[in-house]
Amino acid sequence: MNITDIDDKIIIRARQNHLFNVFAASFQSGIDDEAIKTLDQALEQFLEEKLKSQDLASAEVKAKLPDADPKVPMHFSAAKIAHEAITDLKAKVAFGETTEPLALSELIEKTRDVVGPYLDKKDGHGVTEHKIFRDLAAFWEKDFLGDMDALNVLPADILTRVSEYVPEVVGFVERIVANGYGYEVDGSVYFDTAAFDAHPNHYYAKLEPNSANNLALIEDGEGSLGAKLTGKKNPSDFALWKKSKAGEPSWDSPWGKGRPGWHIECSAMASEVLGENMDIHSGGEDLAFPHHDNELAQSEAHHSCKQWVNYFFHVGHLHISGQKMSKSLKNFITIKEALARYTARQLRITFLMHQWDNGMDFKDSAMEEAINTEKLFNNFLINAKALIHEARVNPPAFTGKHQYHDSEKQLMAYFTERQTAIHAALCDSFNTPNVIRELGDIVNRANVYIASRRPTGSPVNAEVIAKLAKYVTKILSVFGLTGRGQDLGWQSSGQGEANAEETLMPYLHALSTFRDQIRAIARGSGDAKEILAACDRLRDQELADLGVLLDDREDGRALVKLVDKEELIRERDAKLQREEEKRLKKEAAAKVQEQKLRERLEKGKLAPEDLFKTPEFSKWDAEGIPTHDAAGEEVAKSRRKKLTKDFEAQKKLHAEYLAHTSK
């Protein structure tokens, strides 16, 4: 693996960070008018250079245009954040609140993206110390390698850094020049693409011949500090060695102080380790031209060979909402952020479910599919281990009959077909999406077979299940989804072997506690309900906390499974939470019913014959239903009908009241 730690972007970022850190450190105890002036000038320059605007209002208009360059909204966001921070700092200066180091530091930090380029333009020419540039690269190298380890990516056997191979780079360039494919201009050395292309054994831009004259791609490949280099014979010629300017690190060479070009770095380091030919070279699909085409040309010119690389793997990009993830656009999710939401295995499954050379959107629906796929494999492997273990420690009774019938034959025939399909998929440009689907089909068919045994009580053929489970484990191991060397199942890698006491004591303690509880019940009440409750506690609490799942079956025997402890506890807690929510809901409903009952009883205290004994009426019949209103007029027939209905309702309420109070 090559580590690029000498590069135009690294140089610029290192200078900006260094100058900004020095600037910010000078205001630990306060900020003055001169610092505010610097911040204002930096924001003004940023708006003008990055957004071609005079103020934030016009910049915002540009940022919201539907056809705006993707970087415009990013630059506007940086400018807005810096403007708000500068406004707060001005207020603090005005009110004399400039002595809070933490708050001050946080505000100044918000201006980094704006102030860094300003300070670099003003003072960047004076930054040349190698350590400043190397420290930035070393920080991100360590961060990257840590992320790779967290994703269960095996480390490279050999890791090379450009800063450690500069003499080899110089020698590599010298050989190219000596072979007639390089020339010097004012301390810089360029590759002569025309001379290379003219040779009968060579061909420039092998990978993307249609891009050979794409000046935009060529300039981008030369880097922001060298895209406008002059003196080249041909527009497609590229820098092998760049004359260092002020503010850039430099090394000695036959052409004077300079530094390696970007393309030459990989060629020189790979050739130093692997020789004059390599089988496989990988990289992002955007690197095919000019980077990899330039690597091929300069390496073949150096080694005088026709083919330096046999196969290129150009991988697709991750996208967010259909747009390529990019640090320059700040539309990315970091590996650490992804691992805070998902496991390394789930991320790897997501990638495996997409063809490696196609782009893919990183989105919740894709991750949900990967999580479901993980559960499918996980449940099968756990069941398989449990069934195999059970068959070993508690084999079925001898009957003089075999266990390899039509269902087993059909399952094994299907398994053989899927193995053939998986081999074909891997041979077809590593078609991992098809492999994952085929593995899922194997698991689903095995699950159907296992389920078919439950109603009949017939034993599962553990040998057949072991065959399938070991194969599934093998393929998942190839994909880095299991612990290395795992024969069956996918326990996470890196788990150390604990001594027997540490391993067994938690389980023995759970068993001992359960025994004590059963003995106490037997000596006391002997109540079967209490015994069953103790069994449930053992299953749902003590064993669950140890990652042991007891799967109850129709025949009364439990299938013992070792599962992920955290996942089992989460499922148990979720179940308890659902039960608690159900209990609270039932309790709330009971309270509502109780309140309604109290209201009915309160209303039912009044005897029905007294319901209408009010000044509203003057005469009543024998039951107490009004016949005449207060003026002595006879109650209308329709109204009397309603009053009778109300009377009957009160009669029922009063009867309920009497029945309740008599208890």
Side-chain angles (χ1 to χ4, degrees):
M1 178 187 288
N2 293 334
I3 298 289
T4 297
D5 58 358
I6 302 172
D7 172 77
D8 289 24
K9 291 180 179 179
I10 294 173
I11 291 170
I12 294 171
R13 178 61 61 85
R15 285 197 318 231
Q16 291 179 359
N17 282 353
H18 171 71
L19 293 169
F20 179 83
N21 291 339
V22 172
F23 171 78
S26 64
F27 305 108
Q28 290 296 316
S29 59
I31 192 165
D32 54 23
D33 292 336
E34 189 62 30
I36 295 294
K37 182 180 177 182
T38 298
L39 295 172
D40 281 336
Q41 290 172 340
L43 180 58
E44 183 180 330
Q45 176 184 294
F46 189 86
L47 287 168
E48 183 178 334
E49 293 186 356
K50 299 293 186 182
L51 295 160
K52 311 299 180 190
S53 304
Q54 298 298 317
D55 52 45
L56 274 178
S58 60
E60 185 172 14
V61 171
K62 291 183 178 180
K64 291 183 177 180
L65 291 175
D67 59 344
D69 184 291
K71 290 187 178 182
V72 171
M74 178 193 74
H75 292 322
F76 170 71
S77 176
K80 184 179 180 182
I81 291 171
H83 176 265
E84 292 172 352
I86 294 169
T87 301
D88 286 350
L89 285 168
K90 286 179 178 178
K92 287 184 176 295
V93 170
F95 289 98
E97 300 174 1
T98 60
T99 58
E100 302 172 25
L102 182 59
L104 183 62
S105 176
E106 289 175 350
L107 285 173
I108 294 176
E109 180 61 33
K110 291 180 179 180
T111 69
R112 180 182 289 270
D113 289 345
V114 166
V115 176
Y118 172 81
L119 296 174
D120 186 46
K121 188 173 184 179
K122 186 164 70 77
D123 302 319
H125 61 276
V127 181
T128 57
E129 187 181 349
H130 283 201
K131 187 176 184 300
I132 292 171
F133 305 102
R134 176 58 200 155
D135 283 352
L136 175 69
F139 174 85
W140 289 111
E141 176 189 321
K142 181 179 179 182
D143 189 74
F144 165 75
L145 294 177
D147 284 345
M148 292 301 99
D149 184 61
L151 288 173
N152 196 27
V153 176
L154 291 174
D157 297 310
I158 304 294
L159 189 147
T160 57
R161 303 175 184 85
V162 184
S163 60
E164 299 170 351
Y165 276 79
V166 174
E168 287 80 3
V169 171
V170 171
F172 202 90
V173 175
E174 285 184 300
R175 177 81 171 271
I176 293 174
V177 173
N179 287 346
Y181 299 110
Y183 59 92
E184 178 194 359
V185 177
D186 190 27
S188 294
V189 181
Y190 298 96
F191 185 82
D192 193 334
T193 54
F196 181 79
D197 218 17
H199 194 284
N201 289 334
H202 298 313
Y203 182 78
Y204 180 64
K206 283 182 179 180
L207 299 175
E208 291 192 0
N210 293 333
S211 299
N213 296 312
N214 189 323
L215 295 180
L217 289 176
I218 291 169
E219 286 193 3
D220 186 60
E222 289 298 84
S224 55
L225 297 176
K228 303 297 182 182
L229 292 175
T230 59
K232 296 193 292 184
K233 293 180 181 180
N234 305 290
S236 58
D237 292 353
F238 55 90
L240 300 171
W241 183 262
K242 295 180 179 180
K243 178 182 179 180
S244 291
K245 300 186 291 292
E248 298 176 11
S250 64
W251 288 262
D252 291 328
S253 80
W255 316 284
K257 293 282 188 180
R259 57 189 177 87
W262 174 35
H263 314 296
I264 199 69
E265 298 172 341
C266 298
S267 293
M269 291 189 289
S271 295
E272 184 68 22
V273 175
L274 301 174
E276 61 183 34
N277 176 263
M278 72 171 81
D279 202 33
I280 298 170
H281 189 317
S282 67
E285 60 186 351
D286 57 327
L287 297 178
F289 184 88
H291 186 50
H292 289 162
D293 265 323
N294 288 353
E295 277 189 49
L296 281 173
Q298 65 200 11
S299 299
E300 290 166 8
H302 175 275
H303 295 297
S304 297
C305 66
K306 293 183 66 173
Q307 185 162 297
W308 182 55
V309 173
N310 294 336
Y311 300 94
F312 269 98
F313 283 179
H314 288 120
V315 298
H317 289 141
L318 279 173
H319 293 78
I320 294 286
S321 301
Q323 191 176 55
K324 173 189 167 185
M325 266 196 208
S326 168
K327 280 193 173 183
S328 63
L329 296 180
K330 296 190 176 179
N331 68 328
F332 61 91
I333 176 172
T334 67
I335 291 172
K336 291 179 180 62
E337 289 168 341
L339 286 173
R341 297 173 58 189
Y342 309 106
T343 66
R345 181 183 294 143
Q346 289 163 356
L347 291 171
R348 293 180 76 99
I349 291 174
T350 303
F351 301 147
L352 288 164
M353 294 173 75
H354 293 78
Q355 186 64 17
W356 64 271
D357 55 346
N358 291 339
M360 65 166 279
D361 254 356
F362 187 84
K363 52 188 179 182
D364 290 341
S365 59
M367 291 307 306
E368 188 63 34
E369 187 179 2
I371 291 169
N372 290 334
T373 300
E374 180 190 39
K375 288 179 179 177
L376 176 69
F377 292 141
N378 188 50
N379 291 338
F380 169 66
L381 293 173
I382 288 172
N383 281 337
K385 290 178 76 171
L387 290 168
I388 295 164
H389 178 76
E390 182 181 55
R392 185 169 63 247
V393 300
N394 186 25
F398 177 75
T399 62
K401 296 179 181 180
H402 64 78
Q403 297 181 41
Y404 197 84
H405 304 290
D406 286 345
S407 56
E408 284 79 15
K409 291 177 183 178
Q410 291 167 6
L411 178 58
M412 287 301 292
Y414 183 80
F415 173 53
T416 301
E417 292 173 2
R418 301 282 65 76
Q419 283 181 290
T420 302
I422 286 172
H423 181 77
L426 289 173
C427 289
D428 182 16
S429 190
F430 300 102
N431 190 334
T432 59
N434 273 1
V435 175
I436 295 298
R437 281 192 289 271
E438 296 288 357
L439 286 176
D441 289 344
I442 292 173
V443 168
N444 284 325
R445 184 62 70 94
N447 286 339
V448 170
Y449 164 74
I450 294 170
S452 71
R453 287 293 182 266
R454 288 172 184 158
T456 64
S458 302
V460 168
N461 190 315
E463 293 176 352
V464 170
I465 294 301
K467 181 75 173 176
L468 272 62
K470 288 181 179 180
Y471 176 79
V472 170
T473 301
K474 174 186 173 183
I475 301 300
L476 295 179
S477 178
V478 169
F479 291 158
L481 300 177
T482 72
R484 290 182 282 282
Q486 198 81 18
D487 179 51
L488 176 60
W490 59 8
Q491 297 300 320
S492 60
S493 59
Q495 292 181 337
E497 292 291 332
N499 63 47
E501 183 177 354
E502 290 176 344
T503 302
L504 295 175
M505 280 306 294
Y507 302 92
L508 297 177
H509 180 72
L511 181 61
S512 174
T513 301
F514 175 68
R515 175 179 176 273
D516 293 342
Q517 292 172 349
I518 296 300
R519 281 163 59 89
I521 296 170
R523 288 171 174 170
S525 65
D527 190 344
K529 289 184 178 179
E530 289 187 46
I531 294 174
L532 291 174
C535 292
D536 288 343
R537 282 195 300 274
L538 177 68
R539 179 194 61 197
D540 298 333
Q541 295 180 25
E542 284 83 357
L543 292 181
D545 288 340
L546 295 170
V548 178
L549 174 63
L550 298 183
D551 191 359
D552 293 329
R553 296 181 291 188
E554 286 84 351
D555 62 4
R557 296 180 303 133
L559 184 62
V560 183
K561 304 177 183 179
L562 285 175
V563 300
D564 182 81
K565 179 173 66 176
E566 283 72 21
E567 181 64 26
L568 188 58
I569 291 173
R570 279 194 295 271
E571 290 178 359
R572 180 195 66 191
D573 292 346
K575 180 183 177 182
L576 291 174
Q577 184 176 352
R578 289 194 298 271
E579 291 176 351
E580 178 64 11
E581 289 172 354
K582 186 177 180 180
R583 185 189 67 78
L584 292 174
K585 188 175 181 180
K586 186 176 180 180
E587 191 177 275
K591 287 182 178 179
V592 170
Q593 290 300 112
E594 185 180 348
Q595 178 62 27
K596 287 181 179 179
L597 175 62
R598 282 199 298 267
E599 291 173 356
R600 284 201 310 274
L601 294 176
E602 184 64 29
K603 191 175 181 181
K605 282 183 179 180
L606 185 66
E609 58 268 23
D610 295 328
L611 180 63
F612 301 116
K613 295 295 178 65
T614 66
E616 186 180 358
F617 304 103
S618 58
K619 291 183 180 179
W620 300 264
D621 63 12
E623 287 186 298
I625 300 173
T627 57
H628 294 74
D629 62 17
E633 297 289 333
E634 189 174 355
V635 174
K637 191 174 182 180
S638 59
R639 190 180 182 195
R640 181 173 173 80
K641 187 176 181 180
K642 183 180 182 303
L643 292 171
T644 302
K645 185 177 180 180
D646 292 343
F647 177 87
E648 292 298 329
Q650 186 64 26
K651 191 175 181 181
K652 289 181 180 179
L653 287 173
H654 188 64
E656 184 180 359
Y657 168 76
L658 293 175
H660 189 80
T661 54
S662 65
K663 291 180 181 179

